[in-house]
Amino acid sequence: MSTSAQVQQMPTMKKKDFVSDQEVRWCPGCGDYAILNAVQQVFPTLGIPREKFAIVSGIGCSSRFPYYMNTYGFHSIHGRAPAIATGVKVANPDLSVWVITGDGDALSIGGNHFIHTMRRNVGLKILLFNNKIYGLTKGQYSPTSEKGKKTKSTPFGSVDRPFNPISLALGAECTFVARTVDIYQKHMKEVLTRAAAHKGTAFVEILQNCNIFNDRAFADITDKPNRDDKQVVLEQGKPLIYGKEHRRGIRMSKYLPEVVDLDGSVSEDELVVHDETRPAAYAFLLSRMLAPEFPTPIGIFRAIDTDSYEDGVNDQVRSVTEKLGEGTIESLLNAGDTWTVT
Amino acid sequence: MQLTGSQFTSTTVSMGNDVSTLPDFPAEIRAPAGTLPGVSGYQIHFSSNQIYTPGDQADVLVAMNPAALKVNLEGLKPNGVIVANTDSFSPRDLQKAHYESNPLEDGSLDGYRLFAIDVTRLTRAALKESKLDTRAVDRCKNFFALGMMYYLYERPTDVTERWLEQKFHGKDDLIKANKMALRAGVAYCEATEVFHETYKVPAAKLVPGKYRNVSGNQALSLGLVAAAKTANLPLFLGSYPITPASDILHQLAGYKNYNVETFQAEDEIAGVCAAIGAAFAGSLGVTTTSGPGVALKMEAIGLAIMVELPLIIVNVQRGGPSTGLPTKTEQADLFQAVYGRNSESSLPVLAPATPADCFNIAFEAVRIALAYMTPVIILSDGYLANGAEPWKLPAVDELPSIKTRYYTDAKSFRPYLRDKRTLARPWGIPGTPGLEHRVGGLEKNEEDGNVSYDPLNHERMVKLRAEKVQRVAQDIPDLEVLGPESGKLLLVGWGSTYGAIVSAVRRCHADGVDVSAIHLRHLFPFPRNLGAILARFEKVLVPELNSGQLATMLRSSYLKETVCLSKIQGRPFSQREVFEKINQLLERTS
């Protein structure tokens, strides 16, 4: 949609152009602030006129997001944002439509819409703020909370097994799947920029800290002293190397990933070289690399180019109209068997 | 049997008769043939006069097996004609229908004119040259029976033959076999003079014009598309398959060249949500379903009320609660439509009176939704949806105009600044420069639409939303009374009870009895003159296919005592049921 001519005509936009006049009402210290900041910085760089952004959210702390963005916004009902956004995108494919959701909103009450949006490959950018807890209802376990989690609704520990959002998205054959972290501003902006350019559903899991009800849920991955040993950054065409001084890598062994020390006995040539265009099975294997055995992958797991749902719908309307001619009320009413009474 | 019935209907409307039909079929797709629950029937009433119902009692019953006879015999007039296929009255068939002896032989049908005919064997004989196997040949027996009915009522076979050529295009064996069976049915009657007499039903004196036969679901689909075209809006349907509403989804899916997009959603909730999203983006959002689906959609409908977007919700009602009677008719979702959401959240509710009226009601719903920026519920029902009648095509230039105005002026735009007459908020759609704004389910501040928890603002907004819906009444035409303007008894109908009520009232008038009727197509808000009309009558009778929902609403709105004629059997009223109730209330013996 952004030809170079359009970009030149558009006034240069800045972050402030995307800041609404509403007072932000998240808890001080919430990870959501960092995400809001990154989105407000990325949007002006995309070459899309401001009026063409529509942000749709569900219910929960994260879903207040549209109120703080000076774009078209729709704060809807619990879990339904992907369904509402599907209607927006199909009705007007020219819009850049973003869905803001949380782990409860997307994976619990809205689980059905979440997977079916991905199955269809609707051109929505879905940002899932995963803090592994229900925040707005004040601290119940969520579908991403770890087993055994003690919360207000699980005083003796949760017996539920959690979803892995990346695995779930890949299982639903999402065509763009990525993970980033609230405090990694640079990384998040790179991922968001890629998501914005993707045709079809782009899913980004953002590990987000809820400092009130689940503080430091991701600290073991993101805290500085250990961070390099606890995460591996996925980069297209590059081997999976991580760790302090890049001394560890991921190698495939008997169809499964394994951690190897790059101490001279293993060469870099043996490591997995990341390719986000591989079949989903590869990305799924990456998504199953779980702590503490494995480093947590950050970055783009999968990005493939294929037809979007809204293009399919609108192409069909166009081709049928070309074939049959544009219908009029006259032709509509007079179709089928008619007879005249005189 | 449904095909056979619809063919008789097509032929009959093409002859200029007025027609009203009642298809009646089981919820199961292939319910075991010959069992009582598996009976699929098609009742057709046709006349050279104007008619309003599928008829109370039939003159002719064609029973292709004992179960069909058993289930439908009570709907046959005394001394009526029974055509029974003797080939399917074997001991095993009789047992399946729980007959202890063969009714064709035991004298139990003595009060009727019985024609026991070996239809299966005759069909096989007629098709002995056919390349089809026996199974396929036997499937043609309904068309043999149809041929017999065409003979009995002096109908031509050409309409059905043309239909066969289209339906089975490229399958010449099937076309040929069915045509032969049809003609063989006619020929058999001619050759054997089995019926002794035939019936002429001349064309009805219908208003001059161009006609087509429509079911309620078809007319509703046509109305939605025509209204969207008139409003110059793309139509977006978000829907999930459900009986008896799915035909609307099917039909709209075929109208891609009319600027129609159809989205078969993953569930009922996604269907309505996508329609709301499309409305936010500037399309005419529509969702179609039946009662259980409406229950699932209600939270989203509440959202549409809060964000004040136009939306059409079609409820083709069926028997309930829960899954209830999926293929049978009922009018028990009126309370659900009017009151069935959390908090105080009103919306306009409309109901069509006849299958063809579904077109007008769809048009009216779209007009209201766009003029008042509100979701609107249409309450159709299974009887209207599947029943058919001749429909005089409206002149395109006489269709009501529907204006769509997207707001574009950035300087004056305030998301909840209301129109003075309608209280509608402006429709500023994404893509319009300078109108960037947020809507949502949280309470809105008056005018600017920002989130507000202010107590007095909340009270004002609840009242404003209610007032906006009440103002819909200012555009609703006054009700017209059928019969005297005042008197002892007024019947108040809504939805598909129209035909039975009008027939019963006209019968009273023919008998010289004063009784009046009004019919509500707007259930919320009510037409403005309703209260005044009610006040002019001593008694008010409300026939409805529920336990008295409209009657309750009338009592609470107008403090008017009402008598409810309730029927909850999955079937429409007969004219006689209404007629007898009138007589009872007027203390008159019929």
Side-chain angles (χ1 to χ4, degrees), chain A residues 22 51 66 71-73 75 83-84 87-88 112-113 120 309 314 316 325 327-328 331-335 338-339 341, chain B residues 13 208-212 229 256-258 261 263 266-267 274 277 429 431-432 435-441 450 453:
Chain A
Q22 297 297 293
E51 67 271 15
T71 62
Y72 285 92
H75 175 220
I84 289 173
V88 175
N112 204 27
H113 313 307
R120 296 190 182 99
Y309 179 76
N314 285 281
Q316 195 174 60
T328 63
S331 66
L332 178 78
L333 300 186
N334 286 282
T338 59
W339 70 97
V341 174
Chain B
V13 293
K210 197 168 180 185
Y211 283 77
R212 75 189 265 195
K229 278 266 165 197
K256 295 276 150 71
N257 57 323
Y258 287 84
E261 291 179 326
F263 172 64
E266 57 270 23
D267 56 33
I429 64 170
T432 316
L435 265 59
E436 293 87 351
H437 67 284
R438 276 65 57 194
V439 295
N450 287 322
Y453 297 101

Side-chain angles (χ1 to χ4, degrees), chain B residues 178-297:
Chain B
N178 279 290
K179 276 189 189 177
M180 281 173 71
L182 182 67
R183 290 179 191 178
V186 178
Y188 170 79
C189 296
E190 281 169 356
T192 62
E193 296 184 354
V194 55
F195 290 127
H196 306 296
E197 54 198 9
T198 62
Y199 302 94
K200 270 196 195 349
V201 182
K205 287 182 195 66
L206 297 175
V207 179
K210 197 168 180 185
Y211 283 77
R212 75 189 265 195
N213 186 44
V214 281
S215 70
N217 275 347
Q218 285 170 341
L220 210 138
S221 309
L222 294 170
L224 290 171
V225 177
K229 278 266 165 197
T230 304
N232 200 21
L233 285 177
L235 189 158
F236 180 98
L237 173 71
S239 187
Y240 187 78
I242 184 169
T243 303
S246 303
D247 282 341
I248 305 173
L249 167 62
H250 305 161
Q251 188 160 354
L252 290 179
Y255 287 143
K256 295 276 150 71
N257 57 323
Y258 287 84
N259 208 3
V260 172
E261 291 179 326
T262 51
F263 172 64
Q264 183 176 315
E266 57 270 23
D267 56 33
E268 295 280 0
I269 298 171
V272 65
C273 283
I276 292 170
F280 179 64
S283 291
L284 175 63
V286 179
T287 190
T288 50
T289 186
S290 187
V294 177
L296 286 164
K297 294 177 197 291

Side-chain angles (χ1 to χ4, degrees), chain A residues 67-252:
Chain A
Y67 290 122
Y68 310 135
M69 294 291 298
N70 190 12
T71 62
Y72 285 92
F74 199 152
H75 175 220
S76 73
I77 45 177
H78 208 8
R80 316 302 170 199
I84 289 173
T86 295
V88 175
K89 185 68 179 173
V90 172
N92 187 355
D94 204 24
L95 301 174
S96 179
V97 184
W98 296 68
V99 170
I100 308 295
T101 184
D103 37 313
D105 192 55
L107 305 180
S108 214
I109 193 166
N112 204 27
H113 313 307
F114 182 77
I115 55 175
H116 284 276
T117 299
M118 293 174 174
R119 168 176 73 80
R120 296 190 182 99
N121 201 32
V122 186
L124 309 177
K125 320 306 163 197
I126 302 177
L127 310 186
L128 190 158
F129 300 9
N130 182 10
N131 53 22
K132 298 192 178 183
I133 199 81
Y134 280 84
L136 201 57
T137 51
K138 300 184 176 53
Q140 300 81 12
Y141 74 112
S142 91
T144 54
S145 298
E146 60 277 15
K147 200 171 171 185
K149 180 88 177 167
K150 285 190 177 171
T151 70
K152 281 185 186 160
S153 58
T154 50
F156 305 107
S158 152
V159 297
D160 288 29
R161 295 198 304 168
F163 263 143
N164 175 330
I166 300 285
S167 298
L168 184 65
L170 290 165
E173 304 201 30
C174 189
T175 55
F176 180 100
V177 178
R179 178 187 284 144
T180 185
V181 182
D182 55 4
I183 54 175
Y184 298 177
Q185 287 286 297
K186 181 167 175 291
H187 186 260
M188 183 161 33
K189 285 190 262 182
E190 287 166 7
V191 169
L192 294 177
T193 304
R194 282 286 309 278
H198 180 72
K199 184 170 70 176
T201 310
F203 170 65
V204 183
E205 180 195 17
I206 305 174
L207 307 183
Q208 175 252 328
N209 192 44
C210 172
N211 57 324
I212 304 297
F213 294 110
N214 202 16
D215 197 20
R216 299 177 55 74
F218 302 104
D220 56 337
I221 303 170
T222 58
D223 269 8
K224 265 202 177 132
N226 305 319
R227 149 157 122 189
D228 291 343
D229 286 330
K230 297 293 175 69
Q231 60 181 257
V232 54
V233 179
L234 306 172
E235 292 177 273
Q236 178 68 0
K238 294 197 178 161
L240 300 188
I241 296 175
Y242 70 103
K244 289 195 185 88
E245 294 158 21
H246 306 289
R247 287 218 301 258
R248 285 177 160 177
I250 303 294
R251 179 174 74 177
M252 294 302 289

